Amino acid sequence: MALLASSFIIPPAFAATPAPAPAAPAAKPGAPATADQNPLLATVNGQDIRLNDVRQAMATMPEQLRKLPDNIIVPILLNQLVDQRAIQVAAAKAGLDKQPDVQQQMQQAAQNALQNAYLSAQVAPTLTDDAVKAYYDKNYANKPGAEEIHARHILVQTEAEANDVIKQLKAGADFGQLATKLSKDPGSAKQNGGDLGWFKKGDMLPTFWDAASAMQPNTFSQTPVHTQYGWHVIQVLGKRTAPTPTLEATRDQIRQKLIQEGVQKAVSNALSQVKVVRFGPDGKPLPEQPAAH
């Protein structure tokens, strides 16, 4: 289901919270809304471009660009919108909108817009500060942080080389000096005597993590550890439990988790309201199977 959720085009409103667009002049209390609140900025072959069009374009921009003064960013975006309308008019005159491949792309874009509108309507209202706080309290607060390991390693190409390194270490050789001399690690660890610093479980390949986590501090591998990069000899220098992360440090991560859960729920809800028939290579309907979410 996580793969399914990731396949959807997440609406821009979920990706980041846009800064408020420039406010139009407020109407007097009780007065009807007028065009002055959404003034006309340009026309292209009679098609209006208004301030709200510029606002919508601004909302999709990176935050640092949205902070530019209105007298700079509005003319730039307006010029872009004029260019786009002009291209659209020229494309229609050329009959490109009648081409099957273009029609298919336009239909797909419309379907994506409808899909994202549904997901936004279902998920966006749930992304509240209270929801983030509740998730934090349940999954992070008053719980120990992740286990961290401080280790260094020597990476070589063959198991025989790794066994030779272990033999030298047992004979009293200095780990850091061997790492500098023998390690094939392409990163900075080689220059630092093989030091990898502190890392968490997800930072390393599972095989490497499992081997390091099974070791005691100030010990080195008694047998080589194999990964896709070669053969490792590991020395664990220390272990610790990271402090519980703060709400602010986890806010974005929690928000993305809530989005993923919301999309999963929305997809399940949509599927429950339709009949899905799948067909095999012979063109015959396949037996119904419960949806895997």
Side-chain angles (χ1 to χ4, degrees):
M1 188 61 224
L3 291 176
L4 176 61
S6 66
S7 70
F8 281 85
I9 301 173
I10 301 301
F14 294 165
T17 304
K28 295 180 180 179
T34 68
D36 290 339
Q37 294 175 276
N38 184 26
L40 180 66
L41 302 182
T43 62
V44 179
N45 267 20
Q47 299 180 25
D48 292 353
I49 300 177
R50 294 185 174 272
L51 180 59
N52 278 349
D53 299 313
V54 174
R55 286 197 187 105
Q56 292 175 3
M58 188 181 301
T60 65
M61 298 174 62
E63 183 179 357
Q64 62 269 27
L65 295 180
R66 293 198 302 262
K67 293 179 179 179
L68 291 173
D70 292 352
N71 63 341
I72 294 177
I73 194 62
V74 170
I76 293 174
L77 291 177
L78 178 59
N79 287 337
Q80 290 182 353
L81 292 175
V82 168
D83 292 346
Q84 291 171 7
R85 295 287 178 87
I87 291 172
Q88 292 163 12
V89 169
K93 283 183 178 180
L96 296 178
D97 57 331
K98 303 297 191 297
Q99 292 184 0
D101 60 332
V102 176
Q103 288 184 337
Q104 183 179 9
Q105 293 174 38
M106 293 171 65
Q107 182 181 11
Q108 184 63 53
Q111 291 171 347
N112 286 340
L114 184 60
Q115 168 185 284
N116 288 340
Y118 173 78
L119 292 176
S120 291
Q122 296 294 311
V123 180
T126 69
L127 302 178
T128 63
D129 289 341
D130 287 344
V132 172
K133 179 66 163 54
Y135 189 96
Y136 175 83
D137 290 342
K138 179 181 179 181
N139 296 280
Y140 291 93
N142 301 319
K143 294 184 178 180
E147 180 186 1
E148 294 182 336
I149 297 175
H150 182 199
R152 52 186 179 179
H153 78 140
I154 299 170
L155 174 65
V156 292
Q157 295 180 342
T158 69
E159 185 176 11
E161 290 177 291
N163 278 318
D164 184 64
V165 169
I166 293 173
K167 182 179 179 180
Q168 293 184 58
L169 290 172
K170 289 181 176 179
D174 181 85
F175 194 101
Q177 291 179 2
L178 286 182
T180 302
K181 178 181 177 182
L182 302 175
S183 182
K184 305 300 182 183
D185 186 338
S188 60
K190 177 179 173 66
Q191 284 70 42
N192 296 328
D195 198 333
L196 298 167
W198 290 95
F199 53 85
K200 298 182 179 68
K201 184 174 183 178
D203 298 334
M204 294 294 173
L205 293 172
T207 304
F208 191 101
W209 170 265
D210 291 344
S213 62
M215 297 168 57
Q216 295 300 316
N218 301 313
T219 63
F220 58 83
S221 309
Q222 298 302 297
T223 58
V225 178
H226 187 235
T227 71
Q228 65 193 59
Y229 297 106
W231 295 87
H232 306 259
V233 178
I234 304 170
Q235 183 183 44
V236 172
L237 301 176
K239 292 184 176 183
R240 69 185 183 188
T241 299
T244 301
T246 65
L247 174 60
E248 285 306 312
T250 56
R251 184 178 298 277
D252 289 344
Q253 181 180 347
I254 292 173
R255 194 170 183 274
Q256 290 304 313
K257 183 65 175 178
L258 292 176
I259 290 171
Q260 187 178 59
E261 291 178 353
V263 169
Q264 293 174 7
K265 183 177 179 180
V267 172
S268 296
N269 180 57
L271 284 172
S272 70
Q273 302 177 54
V274 298
K275 179 176 177 60
V276 178
V277 180
R278 292 179 171 84
F279 298 86
D282 58 359
K284 295 181 180 180
L286 296 173
E288 289 190 26
Q289 296 180 349
H293 294 320

